[in-house]
Amino acid sequence: MSNHAWLLLGLFLVILLLTVKPMGTYIANVMEGRFRLAGKIESPIYRLCGIRPDEEMGWLKYAFAILLFNVLGALAVYALQRLQADLPLNPQAFPAVSPDSAFNTAISFATNTNWQGYGGEATMSYLTQMLALAVQNFLSAATGIVVVIALIRGFARHTAKTVGNAWADLTRITLHILLPISIVYAIFLTSQGVIQNFDAYKDVTTLEVTSFETPKVDDAGQPLKDEKGAVVTEPAQTQTQTLAMGPIASQEAIKMLGTNGGGFLNANSSHPYENPTPLTNFIQMLSIFLIPAALCFTFGRMVGDTRQGWAVLAAMTLMFVALAYAAMHFEQQANPLLTQLGVDASTGNMEGKETRFGIAESGLFATITTLASCGAVNAMHDSFTPLGGLVPLIDMQLGEVVFGGVGTGLYGMLVFAIMAVFIAGLMIGRTPEYLGKKIEAFEMKMVSIAILVTPLLVLVGTAVAVMLADGKAGIANPGAHGFSEILYAFTSAANNNGSAFAGLSANTPFYNVMLGIAMWFGRFGVIVPVLAIAGSLAAKKRIAVGAGTLPTHGPLFVTLLIGTVLLVGLLNYVPALALGPVIEHLVLSAAH
């Protein structure tokens, strides 16, 4: 790995770790009601909505509130897409989004996945982008954070029947954390060149004539297809380019801060309107990890032992460094077949990357965004080398617990921590315990569901797609890479990431429905068991630390936790990975 890559990674880690304690302390103060201005700001909202913040909920009622909140959000996003042709702030007069695409997008943004089977600037009106997608960026992020706060309360409380008030928690997270930081962040982005306006799109004359293939259409304006079902095209030329406009900076800020990832523009953070400078690129990477890293300190602070939070953060950081190194290293290796054709090998694999950023920034961004369930991209992952593309796949298949999404990463890692102490307890013949709570049969059943639901959705979904004609029809690259594209799509959807191996044509009824199902159950199939664990732990008595208690704040536990994540989280996918990126790498090597 180059000196530049090491410097970039080191600088990123130093700045990130410096933010952990102040940001984590602030989150803890907000959620524990220590923020002095909170009452005055929140009271009007509580009165308007009929919320009684002091009336706490048991885990089941808390889970029902979260589910109801997100179902209503998904319905609102669906309705806005279907009605956008008749609504204002639509200067391009975009028609209504198709039912299957609207279904997929509604679930995608409600679950913090932000998978996009459409091109944003060619599909969504400004009103839909703001009122549907940007609003859900806030609310889905708040959902993930409140769930982990409820789990932390489960560890911190004893002989309690409640884990908090879902409506009050959602309000506090949105008002005091996500909204103020996003406002400042959006102002910074506009200062760097990210656009923010309501203008109609602008047509400009280019210096060169662009040649391209365009679909032939019938009298009704529909694309013509040949006997095999492929779209028939004809050559065309133009010297005009349409530049998209819109309120991009306001959506870009929460897109990154809330680990959402859905871009206003189809090119996402590789587009200069979303990510114009090296500074914005660095800040965007930093903002993705800002809250997930800080929540580790919040966890230690709220359970009364900050060492516990630092131990979890250490495990995350060690895995992150290894994966970031791998991604940047593999992308700095040139494609041997292109080298034989005379391409300069010293540049590494620049296919699909912005020259403004290069190999190191692209590899680090890809690692961060796939570890954090963000899904934003500043390079096309489909163009990575086989082993370079393997890293983002592994990042997601670990369960996105290495920092992970806002809230989701920490509660996923705490699920693995419970599994780790359970394994340790089996090894020494002692009832496992974590933070003074015995881990018993109910907790382990919920842990098993939370860990297994995602690989089940990924592997079954991939198997169905490769067996059915509708699934195989979307593959642009037959063979091992085509399989990787499908595997990546279901991995991204079920883990609520949203990035893609973009060679797969996924905006079809088959993929819109299948991936929508994977996104919904990948989100709430984990959230419900996690809240059940929170309720069970809160009701338990706290037991004193004894001579046989496994310390969960030192190097031994960090090692055990990393081993559990790798063995339990990743081994489910090894056969599938062997059929995709591994065999593709072997084929490439053999051809060389």
Side-chain angles (χ1 to χ4, degrees), residues 102-134:
F103 165 81
N104 180 277
T105 304
I107 291 179
S108 177
F109 278 77
T111 58
N112 201 246
T113 309
N114 302 79
W115 170 273
Q116 295 174 288
Y118 59 89
E121 67 269 46
T123 308
M124 302 292 185
S125 70
Y126 294 164
L127 185 71
T128 304
Q129 293 270 23
M130 293 188 302
L131 193 56
L133 307 188

Side-chain angles (χ1 to χ4, degrees), residues 418-434:
I418 293 172
M419 174 67 78
V421 297
F422 177 76
I423 293 172
L426 291 178
M427 293 168 65
I428 62 174
R430 177 183 171 88
T431 302
E433 56 189 74
Y434 187 45

Side-chain angles (χ1 to χ4, degrees), residues 116-162:
Q116 295 174 288
Y118 59 89
E121 67 269 46
T123 308
M124 302 292 185
S125 70
Y126 294 164
L127 185 71
T128 304
Q129 293 270 23
M130 293 188 302
L131 193 56
L133 307 188
V135 167
Q136 276 304 310
N137 282 349
F138 281 95
L139 302 183
S140 65
T143 297
I145 298 174
V146 301
V147 170
V148 78
I149 293 297
L151 179 59
I152 293 171
R153 290 184 183 130
F155 285 112
R157 296 179 178 182
H158 56 94
T159 60
K161 296 181 179 180
T162 60

